[in-house]
Amino acid sequence: MPERTLVLIKPDGVKRQLIGEIIRRLEQKNLRIIGIKMMKFDSALADDHYSEHVGKDFYPALKDFIISGPCIAMVLEGRECIITVRNIIGNTDPVNALPGSIRGDLALEVTQNLIHGSDSSATAEKEIPLFFSPQELFSTSSPD
Ligand code: DAT
Ligand code: MG
């Protein structure tokens, strides 16, 4: 089965009407969207999704931001898609993200950095079920 990753267009991306621009960049790379929805984080989901950051100094601001408005949640599939998506997204701090990357071209603030992508296969396996049931995913490698 091709690798899978969770991608979120964060509330700033939805507010700024960058959904199409962000999806265009991911689809142009020939990554496949196998699940997609608009959803809003609640407090518990924020703590689960960002469990590695709970307790850090920046977490309260991150949590306030991620629950502040609707997000687009997607599962992408493709060869080495986890590292490929991370490269397309760019560095966590948009100031250090290379031009050509989503954060490098479109974002400026660390908290409001537009997009999330899973950072490893273990993370993807933890994150995907927080947002999608198996029935909501339409793999390119199965006869759905
Ligand atoms: P990434 O989103 O690139 O995987 P991360 O998992 O380390 O980065 O952090 C999750 C989010 O938390 C990140 O997108 C923005 C915010 N964040 C991370 N480090 C931060 C910091 N030092 N100050 C403020 N916000 C931070
Ligand atoms: Mg991360």
Side-chain angles (χ1 to χ4, degrees):
M1 190 168 76
E3 198 168 68
R4 291 179 176 186
T5 192
L6 179 81
V7 171
L8 302 171
I9 302 176
K10 297 181 184 180
D12 56 334
V14 175
K15 280 201 191 79
R16 290 176 57 197
Q17 298 173 261
L18 291 172
I19 297 170
E21 171 66 25
I22 290 169
I23 289 177
R24 182 186 65 77
R25 289 169 180 242
L26 296 166
E27 283 198 314
Q28 278 189 340
K29 185 66 176 171
N30 209 17
L31 294 160
R32 297 276 164 182
I33 297 170
I34 65 164
I36 185 166
K37 64 175 71 166
M38 183 175 262
M39 48 72 63
K40 198 161 182 284
F41 275 74
D42 63 17
S43 173
L45 180 60
D47 292 347
D48 280 347
H49 175 71
Y50 281 128
S51 55
E52 65 171 317
H53 300 306
V54 172
K56 294 184 182 173
D57 60 347
F58 63 80
Y59 186 66
L62 174 61
K63 181 171 179 174
D64 282 352
F65 166 60
I66 205 69
I67 69 175
S68 69
C71 293
I72 302 295
M74 294 180 271
V75 176
L76 269 56
E77 195 172 74
R79 174 173 170 261
E80 298 282 355
C81 74
I82 294 170
I83 186 65
T84 301
V85 167
R86 294 283 293 186
N87 288 338
I88 292 170
I89 290 175
N91 192 279
T92 302
D93 185 342
V95 167
N96 297 320
L98 294 177
S101 67
I102 289 171
R103 288 171 176 162
D105 288 348
L106 303 171
L108 193 57
E109 305 299 330
V110 184
T111 302
Q112 302 198 18
N113 63 7
L114 288 176
I115 179 166
H116 167 87
S118 306
D119 64 9
S120 70
S121 55
T123 309
E125 280 172 30
K126 175 209 146 189
E127 291 177 349
I128 289 169
L130 295 177
F131 298 86
F132 292 92
S133 67
Q135 293 73 26
E136 293 174 309
L137 299 175
F138 300 89
S139 177
T140 51
S141 62
S142 73
D144 295 319

